[in-house]
Amino acid sequence: DAGVIQSPRHEVTEMGQEVTLRCKPISGHNSLFWYRQTMMRGLELLIYFNNNVPIDDSGMPEDRFSAKMPNASFSTLKIQPSEPRDSAVYFCASSSWTSGASYNEQFFGPGTRLTVL
Amino acid sequence: LAKTTQPISMDSYEGQEVNITCSHNNIATNDYITWYQQFPSQGPRFIIQGYKTKVTNEVASLFIPADRKSSTLSLPRVSLSDTAVYYCLVDRGDDKIIFGKGTRLHILP
């Protein structure tokens, strides 16, 4: 099992440019999560999908951020235009969620380190 | 979701047992206590989960008293490789979980 795959692993861009982060969840998982981690704010949930449908996007900081999940094996997080304060590590995680299950273990990818100059 | 409180950081020495306590005073009946571990430059990974009493696996033990308002993660005989951030979470079994700041554990030689 390859685990959650994220690309790119590192991204350096200039302010104002569009950035697209990609995630391939574990095959068979039906929930996908995007997190952002910084020293100041810790690990923040941005948005999550269940069966490819966005369920909660209350963590998305502003309209510059958007996320899509066109199918069960692929998701993107886009920032347009990017700003220096968007610099962070962005993690994608997936899980196999079952209604009524006692817990829901999330499997995290290696993250994408984004630097906006 | 119930809020959790845990120490910001801890230091210990190799070979010792480390106990990290987390308080969750507002835990609900259906909530489980879950711990994740995050090594530098990696995403968090699940290590243990419990509802009450004691749970043990190959990585750690989790002690939960009868009132469930706190829990203690116990790492036996730590090594340098156990240096990581440990997150205590309250998990209701729905999709969403909230990570706090965690406890930064530093193991010294």
Side-chain angles (χ1 to χ4, degrees), chain B residues 19-49:
Chain B
N19 295 309
I20 305 174
T21 298
C22 176
S23 65
H24 25 78
N25 291 319
N26 297 323
I27 191 167
T29 302
N30 295 331
D31 291 341
Y32 281 71
I33 298 117
T34 307
W35 287 77
Y36 279 73
Q37 174 190 53
Q38 185 178 20
F39 295 117
S41 302
Q42 295 185 25
R45 69 164 188 148
F46 171 93
I47 50 174
I48 198 166
Q49 190 237 29

Side-chain angles (χ1 to χ4, degrees), chain B residues 37-40 80-86 103-107:
Chain B
Q37 174 190 53
Q38 185 178 20
F39 295 117
L80 296 176
S81 63
D82 292 314
T83 293
V85 179
Y86 292 82
T103 296
R104 190 171 297 275
L105 176 64
H106 187 204
I107 305 302

Side-chain angles (χ1 to χ4, degrees), chain A residues 8-110:
Chain A
R9 293 294 308 276
H10 301 273
E11 176 81 27
V12 180
T13 190
E14 292 188 345
M15 182 174 62
Q17 296 297 307
E18 177 180 294
V19 174
T20 300
L21 310 181
R22 298 172 174 80
C23 175
K24 177 177 170 54
I26 292 173
S27 177
H29 282 186
N30 59 354
S31 292
L32 182 139
F33 308 80
W34 282 102
Y35 292 87
R36 176 174 69 176
Q37 187 170 40
T38 61
M39 286 296 294
M40 288 295 293
R41 301 175 67 90
L43 193 61
E44 304 172 278
L45 176 65
L46 301 178
I47 184 172
Y48 79 91
F49 297 82
N50 182 254
N51 292 324
N52 312 337
V53 175
I55 301 301
D56 185 345
D57 65 354
S58 59
M60 295 287 262
E62 49 198 274
D63 292 345
R64 296 184 299 105
F65 286 70
S66 62
K68 294 182 179 180
M69 191 164 187
N71 57 61
S73 59
F74 183 66
S75 176
T76 59
L77 178 67
K78 184 176 294 186
I79 309 172
Q80 165 66 9
S82 59
E83 298 182 3
R85 59 191 168 125
D86 301 330
S87 296
V89 180
Y90 291 81
F91 288 104
C92 175
S94 71
S95 71
S96 179
W97 181 73
T98 302
S99 176
S102 62
Y103 76 99
N104 181 34
E105 179 180 349
Q106 295 188 14
F107 295 82
F108 283 74

